[in-house]
């Protein structure tokens, strides 16, 4: 592939469901000329309660499907898949460049915290992997980190119940399980930024909330510039959306979150995901 072809190739964005749209939205805003292919593996959602072996298998399968579209970069817009699969991916995917969401969020948390006391809300799989604690400690060895698995928050988002009495009750119960001494709260699951305004209501004003969406977008842009892969020009980039199950449901929730209409194609995990909006 020539350098020009590489620059104009799409970026693959992968998540287990709709949560990765929080990352996609930030990517789209930061990189208006790029083409994206978003794949939500809704057939296997949730990843957060699955074994690391299963998450690795699903992630590799999805990545291989995205590679059929000649993607120049794969963004793993899922914390669980990043935690469990990212380290093994380049060797399993013919050295395809892959970026995850944990390192950018961890770096931002380490920089933002004054006291070094940081809490992370994530899925069970991400908590068990220890990936956030390791990434935060890499940037801030003195950090004191609390991790809390909040699996029900994924279900709230997938149900479209981001606010209201149910969200308030569940969020307040989870937050009460943390020692209240942290000054930074990391939303360590791509679904959780959709609950940010409700989470905010239950925290002291002094606590800063960090999510990986905008920080991942900056990391992706930096990677593209450094590797001469940035698509330049005036044309607005296109996005194709695929899911492995129930496209209508994804479409409904995604349109509410993105604020505009999209077409979502269903593709079974073993088929090609080729189509466009
Ligand atoms: N997208 C996943 C993550 O960021 C959460 C949803 C799931 O459990 O699949 O960890």
């Amino acid at each position: 592939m020539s350098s020009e072809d590489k620059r104009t190739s799409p970026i693959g964005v992968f998540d287990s469901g709709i949560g990765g749209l929080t990352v996609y939205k930030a990517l789209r805003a930061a990189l208006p000329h790029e083409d994206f292919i978003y794949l939500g593996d809704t057939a296997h959602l949730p990843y957060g309660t699955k074994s690391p072996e299963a998450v690795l298998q699903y992630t590799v399968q999805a990545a291989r499907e995205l590679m059929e579209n000649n993607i120049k970069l794969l963004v793993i817009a899922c914390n669980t898949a990043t935690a469990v699969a990212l380290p093994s991916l380049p060797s399993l995917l013919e050295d395809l460049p892959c970026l995850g969401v944990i390192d950018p969020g961890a770096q931002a948390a380490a920089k933002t915290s004054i006291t070094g006391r940081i809490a992370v809300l994530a899925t069970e799989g991400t908590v068990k992997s220890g990936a956030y604690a390791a990434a935060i400690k890499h940037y801030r060895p003195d950090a004191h980190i609390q991790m809390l698995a909040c699996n029900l928050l994924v279900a709230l988002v997938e149900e479209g119940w981001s606010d209201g009495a149910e969200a308030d009750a569940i969020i307040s119960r989870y937050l009460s399980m943390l020692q209240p001494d942290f000054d930074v709260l990391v939303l360590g699951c791509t679904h959780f930024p959709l609950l940010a305004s409700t989470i905010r209501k239950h925290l002291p004003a002094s606590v800063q909330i960090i999510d990986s969406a905008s920080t991942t977008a900056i990391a992706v842009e930096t990677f593209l510039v450094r590797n001469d892969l940035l698509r330049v020009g005036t044309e607005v980039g296109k996005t194709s959306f695929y899911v492995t199950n129930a496209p209508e449901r994804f479409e409904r929730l995604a349109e509410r979150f993105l604020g505009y209409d999209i077409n979502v194609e269903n593709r079974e995990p073993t088929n090609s995901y080729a189509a466009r909006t």
Side-chain angles (χ1 to χ4, degrees), residues 78-118:
C78 172
N79 286 269
T80 311
T82 299
V84 168
L86 184 65
S88 325
L89 285 184
S91 61
L92 295 170
L93 301 175
E94 294 95 51
D95 291 326
L96 174 75
C98 299
L99 295 178
V101 284
I102 291 185
D103 195 69
Q107 193 176 2
K111 264 195 202 157
T112 306
S113 176
I114 295 165
T115 61
R117 297 198 162 249
I118 296 169

mmCIF file of all heavy atoms in Angstrom, residues 78-118:
data_model
loop_
_atom_site.group_PDB
_atom_site.id
_atom_site.type_symbol
_atom_site.label_atom_id
_atom_site.label_comp_id
_atom_site.label_asym_id
_atom_site.label_seq_id
_atom_site.Cartn_x
_atom_site.Cartn_y
_atom_site.Cartn_z
ATOM 1 N N CYS A 78 -12.807 0.141 24.196
ATOM 2 C CA CYS A 78 -13.436 -0.661 25.248
ATOM 3 C C CYS A 78 -12.359 -0.903 26.292
ATOM 4 O O CYS A 78 -11.276 -1.408 25.968
ATOM 5 C CB CYS A 78 -13.919 -1.987 24.654
ATOM 6 S SG CYS A 78 -14.508 -3.170 25.875
ATOM 7 N N ASN A 79 -12.649 -0.520 27.518
ATOM 8 C CA ASN A 79 -11.635 -0.680 28.565
ATOM 9 C C ASN A 79 -11.341 -2.143 28.852
ATOM 10 O O ASN A 79 -10.197 -2.523 29.071
ATOM 11 C CB ASN A 79 -12.099 0.005 29.848
ATOM 12 C CG ASN A 79 -12.016 1.502 29.749
ATOM 13 O OD1 ASN A 79 -11.003 2.100 30.101
ATOM 14 N ND2 ASN A 79 -13.064 2.139 29.257
ATOM 15 N N THR A 80 -12.396 -2.976 28.850
ATOM 16 C CA THR A 80 -12.182 -4.389 29.175
ATOM 17 C C THR A 80 -11.299 -5.040 28.115
ATOM 18 O O THR A 80 -10.344 -5.758 28.436
ATOM 19 C CB THR A 80 -13.534 -5.127 29.277
ATOM 20 O OG1 THR A 80 -14.403 -4.373 30.117
ATOM 21 C CG2 THR A 80 -13.358 -6.507 29.857
ATOM 22 N N ALA A 81 -11.612 -4.785 26.843
ATOM 23 C CA ALA A 81 -10.807 -5.358 25.761
ATOM 24 C C ALA A 81 -9.391 -4.784 25.782
ATOM 25 O O ALA A 81 -8.418 -5.496 25.517
ATOM 26 C CB ALA A 81 -11.475 -5.102 24.411
ATOM 27 N N THR A 82 -9.267 -3.501 26.115
ATOM 28 C CA THR A 82 -7.925 -2.910 26.220
ATOM 29 C C THR A 82 -7.144 -3.608 27.334
ATOM 30 O O THR A 82 -5.991 -4.003 27.154
ATOM 31 C CB THR A 82 -8.020 -1.395 26.524
ATOM 32 O OG1 THR A 82 -8.720 -0.752 25.458
ATOM 33 C CG2 THR A 82 -6.648 -0.768 26.669
ATOM 34 N N ALA A 83 -7.807 -3.766 28.492
ATOM 35 C CA ALA A 83 -7.127 -4.344 29.653
ATOM 36 C C ALA A 83 -6.668 -5.766 29.382
ATOM 37 O O ALA A 83 -5.565 -6.164 29.736
ATOM 38 C CB ALA A 83 -8.070 -4.330 30.860
ATOM 39 N N VAL A 84 -7.527 -6.531 28.717
ATOM 40 C CA VAL A 84 -7.282 -7.965 28.591
ATOM 41 C C VAL A 84 -6.526 -8.320 27.306
ATOM 42 O O VAL A 84 -5.670 -9.194 27.302
ATOM 43 C CB VAL A 84 -8.648 -8.696 28.625
ATOM 44 C CG1 VAL A 84 -8.510 -10.135 28.226
ATOM 45 C CG2 VAL A 84 -9.272 -8.574 30.004
ATOM 46 N N ALA A 85 -6.857 -7.624 26.207
ATOM 47 C CA ALA A 85 -6.372 -8.087 24.902
ATOM 48 C C ALA A 85 -5.268 -7.224 24.294
ATOM 49 O O ALA A 85 -4.452 -7.740 23.514
ATOM 50 C CB ALA A 85 -7.554 -8.160 23.921
ATOM 51 N N LEU A 86 -5.244 -5.928 24.604
ATOM 52 C CA LEU A 86 -4.331 -5.029 23.871
ATOM 53 C C LEU A 86 -2.879 -5.515 23.845
ATOM 54 O O LEU A 86 -2.251 -5.498 22.785
ATOM 55 C CB LEU A 86 -4.423 -3.593 24.415
ATOM 56 C CG LEU A 86 -3.584 -2.562 23.665
ATOM 57 C CD1 LEU A 86 -4.071 -2.389 22.228
ATOM 58 C CD2 LEU A 86 -3.598 -1.210 24.375
ATOM 59 N N PRO A 87 -2.323 -5.971 24.983
ATOM 60 C CA PRO A 87 -0.908 -6.358 24.933
ATOM 61 C C PRO A 87 -0.626 -7.473 23.929
ATOM 62 O O PRO A 87 0.465 -7.532 23.358
ATOM 63 C CB PRO A 87 -0.625 -6.828 26.373
ATOM 64 C CG PRO A 87 -1.688 -6.182 27.211
ATOM 65 C CD PRO A 87 -2.903 -6.073 26.335
ATOM 66 N N SER A 88 -1.586 -8.362 23.674
ATOM 67 C CA SER A 88 -1.325 -9.488 22.752
ATOM 68 C C SER A 88 -1.655 -9.150 21.303
ATOM 69 O O SER A 88 -1.343 -9.935 20.408
ATOM 70 C CB SER A 88 -2.194 -10.696 23.118
ATOM 71 O OG SER A 88 -2.393 -10.810 24.464
ATOM 72 N N LEU A 89 -2.350 -8.034 21.064
ATOM 73 C CA LEU A 89 -2.903 -7.818 19.723
ATOM 74 C C LEU A 89 -1.884 -7.645 18.591
ATOM 75 O O LEU A 89 -2.009 -8.306 17.563
ATOM 76 C CB LEU A 89 -3.870 -6.628 19.718
ATOM 77 C CG LEU A 89 -5.232 -6.889 20.358
ATOM 78 C CD1 LEU A 89 -6.129 -5.677 20.208
ATOM 79 C CD2 LEU A 89 -5.900 -8.122 19.757
ATOM 80 N N PRO A 90 -0.857 -6.779 18.742
ATOM 81 C CA PRO A 90 0.022 -6.565 17.577
ATOM 82 C C PRO A 90 0.578 -7.879 17.035
ATOM 83 O O PRO A 90 0.598 -8.101 15.822
ATOM 84 C CB PRO A 90 1.122 -5.651 18.129
ATOM 85 C CG PRO A 90 0.456 -4.936 19.260
ATOM 86 C CD PRO A 90 -0.501 -5.924 19.873
ATOM 87 N N SER A 91 0.972 -8.802 17.911
ATOM 88 C CA SER A 91 1.560 -10.053 17.409
ATOM 89 C C SER A 91 0.501 -10.951 16.760
ATOM 90 O O SER A 91 0.802 -11.747 15.884
ATOM 91 C CB SER A 91 2.264 -10.795 18.536
ATOM 92 O OG SER A 91 1.328 -11.122 19.527
ATOM 93 N N LEU A 92 -0.754 -10.811 17.178
ATOM 94 C CA LEU A 92 -1.807 -11.644 16.593
ATOM 95 C C LEU A 92 -2.396 -11.026 15.330
ATOM 96 O O LEU A 92 -3.157 -11.664 14.615
ATOM 97 C CB LEU A 92 -2.934 -11.852 17.616
ATOM 98 C CG LEU A 92 -2.566 -12.651 18.874
ATOM 99 C CD1 LEU A 92 -3.679 -12.571 19.913
ATOM 100 C CD2 LEU A 92 -2.320 -14.103 18.498
ATOM 101 N N LEU A 93 -2.082 -9.745 15.084
ATOM 102 C CA LEU A 93 -2.734 -9.024 13.981
ATOM 103 C C LEU A 93 -1.717 -8.457 12.983
ATOM 104 O O LEU A 93 -1.864 -7.332 12.501
ATOM 105 C CB LEU A 93 -3.588 -7.877 14.527
ATOM 106 C CG LEU A 93 -4.711 -8.262 15.497
ATOM 107 C CD1 LEU A 93 -5.389 -7.024 16.062
ATOM 108 C CD2 LEU A 93 -5.745 -9.143 14.804
ATOM 109 N N GLU A 94 -0.714 -9.221 12.698
ATOM 110 C CA GLU A 94 0.298 -8.825 11.690
ATOM 111 C C GLU A 94 0.801 -7.398 11.917
ATOM 112 O O GLU A 94 0.894 -6.600 10.981
ATOM 113 C CB GLU A 94 -0.254 -8.948 10.255
ATOM 114 C CG GLU A 94 -0.555 -10.360 9.805
ATOM 115 C CD GLU A 94 -2.004 -10.737 10.020
ATOM 116 O OE1 GLU A 94 -2.874 -9.987 9.591
ATOM 117 O OE2 GLU A 94 -2.261 -11.777 10.656
ATOM 118 N N ASP A 95 1.054 -7.077 13.170
ATOM 119 C CA ASP A 95 1.616 -5.776 13.542
ATOM 120 C C ASP A 95 0.733 -4.577 13.202
ATOM 121 O O ASP A 95 1.228 -3.458 13.038
ATOM 122 C CB ASP A 95 3.016 -5.576 12.949
ATOM 123 C CG ASP A 95 4.005 -6.505 13.620
ATOM 124 O OD1 ASP A 95 3.832 -6.759 14.832
ATOM 125 O OD2 ASP A 95 4.914 -6.996 12.933
ATOM 126 N N LEU A 96 -0.571 -4.805 13.094
ATOM 127 C CA LEU A 96 -1.490 -3.668 12.909
ATOM 128 C C LEU A 96 -1.324 -2.719 14.111
ATOM 129 O O LEU A 96 -1.362 -3.171 15.250
ATOM 130 C CB LEU A 96 -2.937 -4.184 12.875
ATOM 131 C CG LEU A 96 -4.023 -3.106 12.825
ATOM 132 C CD1 LEU A 96 -4.096 -2.489 11.426
ATOM 133 C CD2 LEU A 96 -5.383 -3.701 13.199
ATOM 134 N N PRO A 97 -1.166 -1.405 13.873
ATOM 135 C CA PRO A 97 -1.086 -0.502 15.018
ATOM 136 C C PRO A 97 -2.409 -0.503 15.800
ATOM 137 O O PRO A 97 -3.483 -0.383 15.199
ATOM 138 C CB PRO A 97 -0.836 0.874 14.396
ATOM 139 C CG PRO A 97 -0.445 0.620 12.991
ATOM 140 C CD PRO A 97 -1.008 -0.716 12.588
ATOM 141 N N CYS A 98 -2.338 -0.654 17.107
ATOM 142 C CA CYS A 98 -3.537 -0.710 17.956
ATOM 143 C C CYS A 98 -3.348 0.242 19.136
ATOM 144 O O CYS A 98 -2.295 0.204 19.791
ATOM 145 C CB CYS A 98 -3.730 -2.111 18.541
ATOM 146 S SG CYS A 98 -3.947 -3.398 17.316
ATOM 147 N N LEU A 99 -4.346 1.064 19.400
ATOM 148 C CA LEU A 99 -4.299 1.938 20.566
ATOM 149 C C LEU A 99 -5.508 1.660 21.439
ATOM 150 O O LEU A 99 -6.609 1.466 20.928
ATOM 151 C CB LEU A 99 -4.308 3.418 20.148
ATOM 152 C CG LEU A 99 -3.098 3.935 19.366
ATOM 153 C CD1 LEU A 99 -3.307 5.408 18.998
ATOM 154 C CD2 LEU A 99 -1.811 3.791 20.172
ATOM 155 N N GLY A 100 -5.310 1.656 22.748
ATOM 156 C CA GLY A 100 -6.407 1.411 23.676
ATOM 157 C C GLY A 100 -6.779 2.659 24.441
ATOM 158 O O GLY A 100 -6.233 3.747 24.202
ATOM 159 N N VAL A 101 -7.714 2.512 25.373
ATOM 160 C CA VAL A 101 -8.242 3.681 26.085
ATOM 161 C C VAL A 101 -7.700 3.823 27.509
ATOM 162 O O VAL A 101 -7.955 4.830 28.162
ATOM 163 C CB VAL A 101 -9.792 3.633 26.138
ATOM 164 C CG1 VAL A 101 -10.398 4.007 24.813
ATOM 165 C CG2 VAL A 101 -10.304 2.279 26.592
ATOM 166 N N ILE A 102 -6.968 2.816 27.984
ATOM 167 C CA ILE A 102 -6.562 2.870 29.392
ATOM 168 C C ILE A 102 -5.388 3.820 29.615
ATOM 169 O O ILE A 102 -5.416 4.659 30.522
ATOM 170 C CB ILE A 102 -6.262 1.449 29.926
ATOM 171 C CG1 ILE A 102 -7.590 0.678 29.995
ATOM 172 C CG2 ILE A 102 -5.560 1.506 31.284
ATOM 173 C CD1 ILE A 102 -7.514 -0.688 30.613
ATOM 174 N N ASP A 103 -4.375 3.714 28.768
ATOM 175 C CA ASP A 103 -3.203 4.557 28.991
ATOM 176 C C ASP A 103 -3.539 6.058 28.954
ATOM 177 O O ASP A 103 -3.145 6.792 29.865
ATOM 178 C CB ASP A 103 -2.105 4.209 27.981
ATOM 179 C CG ASP A 103 -0.791 4.797 28.415
ATOM 180 O OD1 ASP A 103 -0.250 4.315 29.430
ATOM 181 O OD2 ASP A 103 -0.344 5.771 27.788
ATOM 182 N N PRO A 104 -4.310 6.534 27.954
ATOM 183 C CA PRO A 104 -4.630 7.974 27.946
ATOM 184 C C PRO A 104 -5.407 8.411 29.188
ATOM 185 O O PRO A 104 -5.139 9.483 29.759
ATOM 186 C CB PRO A 104 -5.478 8.150 26.678
ATOM 187 C CG PRO A 104 -5.091 7.016 25.783
ATOM 188 C CD PRO A 104 -4.792 5.871 26.716
ATOM 189 N N GLY A 105 -6.358 7.592 29.636
ATOM 190 C CA GLY A 105 -7.144 7.951 30.828
ATOM 191 C C GLY A 105 -6.286 7.925 32.087
ATOM 192 O O GLY A 105 -6.396 8.798 32.959
ATOM 193 N N ALA A 106 -5.409 6.928 32.172
ATOM 194 C CA ALA A 106 -4.534 6.806 33.352
ATOM 195 C C ALA A 106 -3.576 7.990 33.431
ATOM 196 O O ALA A 106 -3.339 8.551 34.511
ATOM 197 C CB ALA A 106 -3.755 5.493 33.270
ATOM 198 N N GLN A 107 -3.049 8.366 32.289
ATOM 199 C CA GLN A 107 -2.113 9.497 32.246
ATOM 200 C C GLN A 107 -2.810 10.791 32.694
ATOM 201 O O GLN A 107 -2.272 11.563 33.490
ATOM 202 C CB GLN A 107 -1.568 9.642 30.831
ATOM 203 C CG GLN A 107 -0.385 10.561 30.746
ATOM 204 C CD GLN A 107 0.203 10.611 29.339
ATOM 205 O OE1 GLN A 107 -0.301 9.978 28.411
ATOM 206 N NE2 GLN A 107 1.263 11.359 29.189
ATOM 207 N N ALA A 108 -4.037 10.992 32.180
ATOM 208 C CA ALA A 108 -4.786 12.203 32.552
ATOM 209 C C ALA A 108 -5.100 12.197 34.043
ATOM 210 O O ALA A 108 -4.996 13.230 34.723
ATOM 211 C CB ALA A 108 -6.076 12.281 31.740
ATOM 212 N N ALA A 109 -5.467 11.042 34.585
ATOM 213 C CA ALA A 109 -5.786 10.954 36.020
ATOM 214 C C ALA A 109 -4.554 11.255 36.860
ATOM 215 O O ALA A 109 -4.619 12.010 37.845
ATOM 216 C CB ALA A 109 -6.316 9.554 36.342
ATOM 217 N N ALA A 110 -3.422 10.678 36.477
ATOM 218 C CA ALA A 110 -2.179 10.877 37.234
ATOM 219 C C ALA A 110 -1.786 12.357 37.253
ATOM 220 O O ALA A 110 -1.317 12.879 38.263
ATOM 221 C CB ALA A 110 -1.074 10.025 36.626
ATOM 222 N N LYS A 111 -1.995 13.026 36.114
ATOM 223 C CA LYS A 111 -1.641 14.456 36.013
ATOM 224 C C LYS A 111 -2.605 15.327 36.803
ATOM 225 O O LYS A 111 -2.221 16.338 37.391
ATOM 226 C CB LYS A 111 -1.735 14.892 34.540
ATOM 227 C CG LYS A 111 -0.433 14.862 33.815
ATOM 228 C CD LYS A 111 -0.596 15.659 32.525
ATOM 229 C CE LYS A 111 0.443 15.237 31.509
ATOM 230 N NZ LYS A 111 0.046 15.531 30.151
ATOM 231 N N THR A 112 -3.902 14.975 36.768
ATOM 232 C CA THR A 112 -4.932 15.835 37.349
ATOM 233 C C THR A 112 -4.977 15.755 38.870
ATOM 234 O O THR A 112 -5.254 16.744 39.549
ATOM 235 C CB THR A 112 -6.324 15.428 36.783
ATOM 236 O OG1 THR A 112 -6.245 15.444 35.367
ATOM 237 C CG2 THR A 112 -7.424 16.361 37.253
ATOM 238 N N SER A 113 -4.700 14.591 39.432
ATOM 239 C CA SER A 113 -4.856 14.417 40.879
ATOM 240 C C SER A 113 -3.816 15.233 41.651
ATOM 241 O O SER A 113 -2.620 15.195 41.345
ATOM 242 C CB SER A 113 -4.719 12.931 41.237
ATOM 243 O OG SER A 113 -4.769 12.782 42.627
ATOM 244 N N ILE A 114 -4.292 15.942 42.662
ATOM 245 C CA ILE A 114 -3.368 16.699 43.514
ATOM 246 C C ILE A 114 -2.861 15.799 44.641
ATOM 247 O O ILE A 114 -1.687 15.759 44.955
ATOM 248 C CB ILE A 114 -4.080 17.950 44.083
ATOM 249 C CG1 ILE A 114 -4.432 18.884 42.919
ATOM 250 C CG2 ILE A 114 -3.208 18.686 45.110
ATOM 251 C CD1 ILE A 114 -5.424 19.971 43.260
ATOM 252 N N THR A 115 -3.784 15.039 45.227
ATOM 253 C CA THR A 115 -3.424 14.217 46.390
ATOM 254 C C THR A 115 -2.826 12.861 46.000
ATOM 255 O O THR A 115 -2.275 12.162 46.852
ATOM 256 C CB THR A 115 -4.683 13.944 47.235
ATOM 257 O OG1 THR A 115 -5.617 13.222 46.399
ATOM 258 C CG2 THR A 115 -5.337 15.221 47.722
ATOM 259 N N GLY A 116 -3.006 12.448 44.733
ATOM 260 C CA GLY A 116 -2.548 11.111 44.323
ATOM 261 C C GLY A 116 -3.539 10.029 44.698
ATOM 262 O O GLY A 116 -3.283 8.848 44.482
ATOM 263 N N ARG A 117 -4.673 10.427 45.250
ATOM 264 C CA ARG A 117 -5.702 9.436 45.626
ATOM 265 C C ARG A 117 -6.738 9.392 44.502
ATOM 266 O O ARG A 117 -7.432 10.385 44.259
ATOM 267 C CB ARG A 117 -6.324 9.788 46.966
ATOM 268 C CG ARG A 117 -5.259 9.737 48.020
ATOM 269 C CD ARG A 117 -5.733 9.642 49.436
ATOM 270 N NE ARG A 117 -4.603 9.168 50.237
ATOM 271 C CZ ARG A 117 -4.522 7.991 50.806
ATOM 272 N NH1 ARG A 117 -5.508 7.136 50.704
ATOM 273 N NH2 ARG A 117 -3.462 7.633 51.495
ATOM 274 N N ILE A 118 -6.795 8.263 43.844
ATOM 275 C CA ILE A 118 -7.574 8.147 42.600
ATOM 276 C C ILE A 118 -8.505 6.941 42.692
ATOM 277 O O ILE A 118 -8.083 5.863 43.126
ATOM 278 C CB ILE A 118 -6.599 7.972 41.402
ATOM 279 C CG1 ILE A 118 -5.736 9.232 41.245
ATOM 280 C CG2 ILE A 118 -7.358 7.652 40.109
ATOM 281 C CD1 ILE A 118 -4.563 9.087 40.289
#
